[in-house]
Amino acid sequence: MREIRNIVILTGAGISAESGVATFRGPDGLWEGHRVEDVATPEAFTRDPGLVQAFYDARRAKLKGVEPNAAHRALARLDAEWPGDLLIVTQNVDDLHERAGAERVLHMHGELRSAWCLACDGRSRWEAPLGDGPACPACGAQGRMRPDIVWFGEMPYEMDRIEAALVEADLFVSIGTSGAVYPAAGYVQTARYRGAQTLEMNLEPSQGSYFFHESRIGRAGDLVPAWVEEMLG
Ligand code: OAD
């Protein structure tokens, strides 16, 4: 086994579950009562912008009532103390990694606390609702801001940076993701092909579980702090 210096960590909804943020694929297959196609596609936004804005306004408002958990805090500690390269690639649109103190974080599916103006193409930090059609702080256009979320059929953010980190990775770790959504679901194969060790931590085996050298099954709040202790110990 080669020495571990560069680490890429992919996180999904499961890492925020113990903070009280709903995962995308609930037992009923719905996301907070909605089909993903009805709230997370550009077509849905064109068809019913009011519904989509209200959905994300509710998710954004809920962030005020949740806190990072032990798994977010452990990754923030690893980020602060790991001497080599490290990148946390999250599919999550919450800001719990940052609130736990992590800095080397990249949101490949966008962020709830960001708004994207379709008039000037600018992004603004955003805490308030978007459904009432506020003016863009940059260009002043009224009612042109949408959630800065990557919807199905849109290109995830920072693909080049992620790819570059994956080919340099000695260890790829996937935490709390079902492995149902590409390109993130394929990162294990990219990293492994380039010789990285691969580890997943999830409540149940993910869809791509067989691609990993090791699977640890359990709650992120238990597994991640123990793994970080191993890495830094
Ligand atoms: P999912 O909801 O598909 O999967 C969450 C995973 O976390 C499941 O495999 C659960 O078993 C696991 N899990 C739940 N609680 C956990 C816990 N306490 N500890 C560890 N694991 C736990 O969420 P994602 O894989 O993140 O995309 O979904 C990927 C993408 O699909 C999302 O980013 C979103 C969605 O539709 C967009 O919105 C574009």
Side-chain angles (χ1 to χ4, degrees):
M1 229 206 297
R2 73 188 191 205
E3 192 195 338
I4 293 170
R5 183 170 165 75
N6 302 333
I7 305 176
V8 176
I9 301 163
L10 173 70
T11 66
I15 198 167
S16 296
E18 289 159 62
S19 293
V21 181
T23 57
F24 292 98
R25 289 165 190 80
D28 51 5
L30 298 179
W31 180 17
E32 299 268 8
H34 293 269
R35 295 188 316 149
V36 166
E37 310 87 82
D38 291 339
V39 290
T41 62
E43 293 78 17
F45 188 58
T46 304
R47 196 167 55 238
D48 192 347
L51 170 79
V52 175
Q53 293 283 23
F55 181 79
Y56 288 97
D57 283 350
R59 308 275 80 71
R60 194 179 308 107
K62 258 194 174 172
L63 281 187
K64 295 199 171 96
V66 301
E67 296 293 335
N69 65 51
H72 298 106
R73 288 194 296 273
L75 291 188
R77 178 182 164 218
L78 186 66
D79 178 26
E81 296 181 21
W82 185 254
D85 283 353
L86 178 145
L87 183 64
I88 299 170
V89 178
T90 188
Q91 299 168 89
N92 297 344
V93 294
D94 65 51
D95 58 354
L96 295 178
H97 283 305
E98 288 88 345
R99 279 202 263 155
E103 291 181 357
R104 293 181 272 183
V105 182
L106 193 154
H107 285 266
M108 64 178 293
H109 289 167
E111 293 178 71
L112 279 170
R113 285 185 161 157
S114 175
W116 174 16
C117 176
L118 297 175
C120 72
D121 203 30
R123 263 92 175 168
S124 309
R125 297 312 299 166
W126 205 262
E127 302 278 339
L130 287 171
D132 49 3
C136 169
C139 75
Q142 201 81 36
R144 300 296 310 280
M145 306 237 277
R146 60 163 264 188
D148 190 9
I149 303 285
V150 176
W151 287 324
F152 285 92
E154 297 181 329
M155 190 70 93
Y157 294 150
E158 307 269 22
M159 301 270 277
D160 291 349
R161 247 180 91 195
I162 297 170
E163 196 71 26
L166 286 171
V167 301
E168 295 296 329
D170 304 306
L171 175 65
F172 173 78
V173 182
S174 171
I175 304 168
T177 175
S178 59
V181 176
Y182 281 81
Y187 290 164
V188 56
Q189 291 172 77
T190 308
R192 191 169 173 161
Y193 177 71
R194 302 294 296 227
Q197 284 295 307
T198 54
L199 164 68
E200 88 168 337
M201 291 180 258
N202 208 45
L203 206 52
E204 59 193 357
S206 68
Q207 289 185 24
S209 194
Y210 52 90
F211 289 122
F212 289 86
H213 290 100
E214 188 188 352
S215 286
R216 298 184 186 180
I217 301 303
R219 288 153 42 107
D222 300 326
L223 295 177
V224 179
W227 169 70
V228 167
E229 198 59 49
E230 277 171 38
M231 293 302 294
L232 294 175

